[in-house]
């Protein structure tokens, strides 16, 4: 009975902390999503009490992230309603808030640019660079804007030799990075306007640091 009483006390304390922090966290995530190109977004964090047959290590309730990305749309579970691009930006916004509050050594984003491009991809690159001020950020990307935001660039290629596949990872110098960014922008050869565009992209992110 003493163990059960201790569990209930700690679980109720966790519930109180969640209630205290969830509203502020939801507000911060909403604000960040607006800067990521979803201006009419509504985001909330729901705490739903479980009917427990036995103690659960995560406390008395389940935590749900719900979102509405368009005016007039009802709130629904994050994973069930957003597009690939919106889910990528929601993930970035959530991680940005968490990394600003806790000491997280490394964050890994796998194609956070999915479903986005243009100016939105540039904003995502800027946000990733801001997050990197709090922790190390590793990002796998196909976006030239996002790639330009990084301090270090590794080129990953899958190759086949003698019917065997292998992955080659190569660190790029600044010149090689500029050439790769120009290729990502659609250039067949790294020269002329495409190369200058790549250099300007890289310079623009460094200027915001």
């Amino acid at each position: 009975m003493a163990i059960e009483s201790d569990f209930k006390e700690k679980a109720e304390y966790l519930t109180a902390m969640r209630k205290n922090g969830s509203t502020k966290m939801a507000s911060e995530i909403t604000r960040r999503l607006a800067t990521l190109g979803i201006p009419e977004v509504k985001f909330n964090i729901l705490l739903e009490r479980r009917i427990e047959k036995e103690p659960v290590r995560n406390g008395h309730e389940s935590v749900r992230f719900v979102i509405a990305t368009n005016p007039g749309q009802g709130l629904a579970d994050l994973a069930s309603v957003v597009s690939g691009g919106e889910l990528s930006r929601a993930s970035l916004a959530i991680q940005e808030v968490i990394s600003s509050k806790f000491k997280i050594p490394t964050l890994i984003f796998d194609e956070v640019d999915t479903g986005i491009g243009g100016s939105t991809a540039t904003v995502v690159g800027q946000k990733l660079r801001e997050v990197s001020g709090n922790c190390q950020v590793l990002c796998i990307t196909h976006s030239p804007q996002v790639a330009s935001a990084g301090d270090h660039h590794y080129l990953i290629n899958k190759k086949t030799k003698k019917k065997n596949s292998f992955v080659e990872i190569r660190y790029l110098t600044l010149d090689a990075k500029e050439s790769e960014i120009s290729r990502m922008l659609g250039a067949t050869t790294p020269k002329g306007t495409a190369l200058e565009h790549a250099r300007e992209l890289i310079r623009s992110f460094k200027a915001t640091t």
Side-chain angles (χ1 to χ4, degrees):
M1 294 297 294
I3 294 175
E4 184 177 352
S5 176
D6 186 50
F7 166 78
K8 288 182 178 179
E9 180 182 343
K10 287 181 169 57
E12 291 295 344
Y13 176 76
L14 178 58
T15 296
M17 293 292 289
R18 283 171 170 166
K19 288 180 177 178
N20 184 54
S22 60
T23 300
K24 183 178 180 181
M25 182 177 180
S27 177
E28 291 188 16
I29 291 171
T30 300
R31 180 171 57 82
R32 284 168 167 81
L33 282 169
T35 67
L36 287 167
I38 316 179
E40 303 293 336
V41 68
K42 294 180 182 178
F43 185 92
N44 202 2
I45 300 172
L46 303 182
L47 305 178
E48 298 182 334
R49 193 81 172 207
R50 285 192 299 264
I51 299 175
E52 300 169 352
K53 294 182 179 179
E54 58 184 33
V56 178
R57 63 181 300 176
N58 293 326
H60 286 320
E61 59 276 323
S62 299
V63 180
R64 289 175 56 207
F65 288 169
V66 293
I67 191 170
T69 57
N70 298 298
Q73 188 179 50
L75 290 166
D77 285 320
L78 175 63
S80 67
V81 296
V82 297
S83 67
E86 290 168 342
L87 184 60
S88 297
R89 282 174 279 175
S91 172
L92 175 56
I94 293 168
Q95 297 284 13
E96 185 182 4
V97 172
I98 292 173
S99 68
S100 69
K101 306 297 182 184
F102 301 97
K103 291 184 178 179
I104 300 174
T106 303
L107 287 175
I108 301 174
F109 294 94
D110 185 3
E111 299 187 14
V112 70
D113 51 275
T114 297
I116 60 175
S119 60
T120 303
T122 300
V123 173
V124 168
Q126 291 168 343
K127 287 294 180 182
L128 287 167
R129 197 165 178 85
E130 290 174 16
V131 173
S132 72
N134 300 318
C135 62
Q136 176 179 247
V137 172
L138 302 179
C139 184
I140 300 169
T141 182
H142 294 286
S143 165
Q145 293 96 324
V146 173
S148 296
D151 293 313
H152 302 279
H153 195 138
Y154 292 83
L155 178 63
I156 302 174
N157 278 322
K158 185 173 74 172
K159 295 186 175 182
T160 302
K161 185 176 182 181
K162 294 182 179 179
K163 297 183 179 181
N164 290 317
S165 297
F166 63 95
V167 174
E168 177 186 80
I169 302 176
R170 180 164 58 93
Y171 180 77
L172 301 183
T173 63
L174 178 58
D175 287 344
K177 177 177 178 175
E178 291 171 350
S179 296
E180 177 59 18
I181 297 296
S182 70
R183 185 197 66 77
M184 295 173 76
L185 287 165
T188 55
T189 56
K191 61 181 181 181
T193 304
L195 184 57
E196 185 52 41
H197 187 189
R199 288 170 175 164
E200 180 56 34
L201 264 178
I202 296 169
R203 284 196 296 265
S204 69
F205 284 110
K206 287 187 175 181
T208 61
T209 303

